[in-house]
Amino acid sequence: MDRVNASTPSASSASPAGDPARAAFAALRTPEGGHLLAELRDHDPADELATATRLRRTHPAELVSAALGQARLRQRAVAKFGAKDAYRMYFTPNGVEQATRTSVAEHRAARFAALGVRSVADLCCGIGGDAIALARAGIAVLAVDRDPLTAEVARANAEVLGLGALIEVRCADVTEIDTSPYDAVFVDPARRGGRGRIFDPEAYSPPLSWATAAALKAPRAALKIAPGIPHEAIGPEAEAEWISDGGDVKEAVLWYGEGIAPGSFRATLLPSGAALTAPAPLDAPPVGPVGRYLYEPDGAVIRAHLVADIVERCGGRLVDETIAYVTSDVPYSSPYVAGYEITDQLPFNMKRLKALLRERQVGVLTVKKRGSAVEPEELRRRMKLSGPNAATVFLTRVAGAPTMLIGHPLG
């Protein structure tokens, strides 16, 4: 996504003339621009000044600046799109930062395909990350964005990846798009403004209320939202899904329509695809003393409020009613948690921890925290670690009291 807002596109959408950013992008798509980008694929940003000086001897300065900027964006985009795609695609600064990670987009596209969807109206498409995944799943896409440059970038990306036949890009106001011809709607509202991240769903562009109304009109729909959205802001018609990739929560999606379980909650873990679901909000789990084992639920499980499900599965309890650490007296293995064996439980005290680590000859310390203001790097610095052994310390609260739990990973 790379959306400014959903208002009417500017009059300059017909031609890049008079728009320096669009003119620079058009230059990048010429044979000369393509040659420069290929040459800059593996350049070191630390040598950029020398590189720019050299290239300006044989190329226009404006083109060199545009190519260097695009080369930097492509290098950043590798983490989301992979090298094979990133070095062929085009990006804007916001597009790199806000575009959906390929693994997440592919997961969503697979869910649409499994629901029998053959065409999708992708509203607020940005640079086309989701449209690309949908097209690769065999789904025809109308990709809409109100920003002329962003729409041009999305169109170029569809073309260079050989997906132009499946992706139609339109520069338009998403609120004026007739989505009735499509099997499904996907809406990814802009959640950033001039002052940074937007936390009020009604301040999204378009607002969450409009996006929800658009979703409810479609046979099937998915609405991308911030992972931290309050559960009370989620209507009963939606299935709410939180998605993590490699342990990091990436996004939340509200699903609507045929084949969806309204009111349910789901945590999906990528790359495995493991999914934990509950048909409705769960009751608060029990709280009790720390046992031999401690479990750290995946962030998607926590965001989906499914920690109680983990507690029930492992026959355990929370260490504190406000902390998402689960403990039990028997070992438990699950893709939804990281497990640890706890060897020590101490009241929070830096000197005691330092003495214990010195005694155990701990030279490598992993610090995890929930409910503690102590910064892990500061703690490690103060411990002055030395030795061949490793340990994990949890800085948390147990029954409301600041506590240190020391242990090591299971398995």
Side-chain angles (χ1 to χ4, degrees):
M1 104 187 153
D2 181 23
R3 297 157 302 283
V4 177
N5 54 54
S7 61
T8 304
S10 65
S12 65
S13 62
S15 169
D19 184 335
R22 294 176 66 200
F25 177 64
L28 288 177
R29 301 210 68 204
T30 64
E32 185 178 11
H35 173 77
L36 268 178
L37 287 174
E39 184 177 345
L40 291 169
R41 170 177 170 137
D42 298 317
H43 92 287
D44 185 351
D47 298 330
E48 189 162 297
L49 180 59
T51 301
T53 301
R54 174 176 57 81
L55 292 176
R56 284 171 181 163
R57 296 183 186 127
T58 52
H59 301 281
E62 295 82 1
L63 179 59
V64 171
S65 295
L68 284 167
Q70 190 62 222
R72 289 193 301 270
L73 294 176
R74 285 180 167 183
Q75 289 178 349
R76 288 172 54 193
V78 168
K80 284 189 175 182
F81 290 89
K84 183 178 180 181
D85 283 351
Y87 285 115
R88 291 187 290 166
M89 294 172 65
Y90 297 92
F91 302 95
T92 64
N94 284 342
V96 171
E97 182 176 352
Q98 301 177 38
T100 302
R101 182 178 291 266
T102 293
S103 57
V104 178
E106 288 176 345
H107 162 72
R108 184 163 39 243
R111 284 203 70 181
F112 270 127
L115 291 168
V117 170
R118 305 307 300 162
S119 62
V120 171
D122 178 1
L123 306 182
C124 309
C125 69
I127 62 166
D130 280 284
I132 290 166
L134 289 164
R136 284 175 167 168
I139 297 172
V141 185
L142 170 65
V144 183
D145 201 284
R146 58 84 58 190
D147 180 66
L149 174 60
T150 302
E152 289 179 12
V153 170
R155 187 177 296 111
N157 287 335
E159 292 172 1
V160 298
L161 296 180
L163 300 170
L166 282 170
I167 301 175
E168 174 194 351
V169 179
R170 191 179 302 174
C171 183
D173 180 344
V174 298
T175 66
E176 297 178 359
I177 296 296
D178 177 14
T179 61
S180 61
Y182 300 89
D183 295 341
V185 167
F186 172 61
V187 190
D188 184 1
R191 296 182 299 280
R192 285 184 179 271
R195 298 182 178 180
R197 192 177 300 276
I198 297 171
F199 296 97
D200 177 7
E202 283 308 294
Y204 292 174
S205 181
L208 180 61
S209 56
W210 180 89
T212 301
L216 290 171
K217 292 177 185 176
R220 299 175 183 87
L223 169 57
K224 182 176 173 180
I225 55 174
I229 188 171
H231 278 223
E232 55 268 23
I234 301 172
E237 310 91 348
E239 173 202 297
E241 178 184 27
W242 281 262
I243 303 170
S244 69
D245 188 7
D248 294 327
V249 180
K250 295 302 179 182
E251 66 178 58
V253 185
L254 303 182
W255 292 88
Y256 301 84
E258 302 167 15
I260 301 302
S264 64
F265 296 83
R266 175 192 293 252
T268 299
L269 281 56
L270 301 178
S272 71
L276 190 65
T277 61
L282 303 174
D283 293 334
V287 179
V290 177
R292 182 176 177 181
Y293 302 98
L294 189 77
Y295 305 102
E296 182 182 28
D298 184 271
V301 173
I302 296 172
R303 292 284 193 178
H305 292 189
L306 296 177
V307 175
D309 189 292
I310 299 296
V311 171
E312 182 177 350
R313 288 168 182 256
C314 73
R317 54 208 175 262
L318 296 182
V319 301
D320 185 279
E321 63 181 357
T322 64
I323 302 294
Y325 283 140
V326 179
T327 187
S328 73
D329 302 310
V330 295
Y332 169 71
S333 177
S334 164
Y336 308 110
V337 300
Y340 300 83
E341 184 174 8
I342 299 302
T343 56
D344 301 89
Q345 177 179 343
L346 305 169
F348 180 79
N349 185 294
M350 288 281 202
K351 290 183 178 180
R352 290 188 64 182
L353 178 62
K354 184 176 181 179
L356 185 145
L357 297 177
R358 183 186 296 115
E359 178 186 335
R360 304 271 175 87
Q361 294 185 301
V362 172
V364 178
L365 182 67
T366 300
V367 182
K368 294 179 172 290
K369 68 167 192 168
R370 285 202 179 128
S372 172
V374 177
E375 291 301 324
E377 286 304 322
E378 172 65 12
L379 184 141
R380 272 190 289 265
R381 185 186 66 80
R382 294 179 61 178
M383 293 299 102
K384 298 181 179 179
L385 302 168
S386 177
N389 300 321
T392 301
V393 60
F394 295 86
L395 307 178
T396 187
R397 293 193 304 270
V398 174
T403 302
M404 303 181 299
L405 304 175
I406 297 94
H408 55 82
L410 291 174

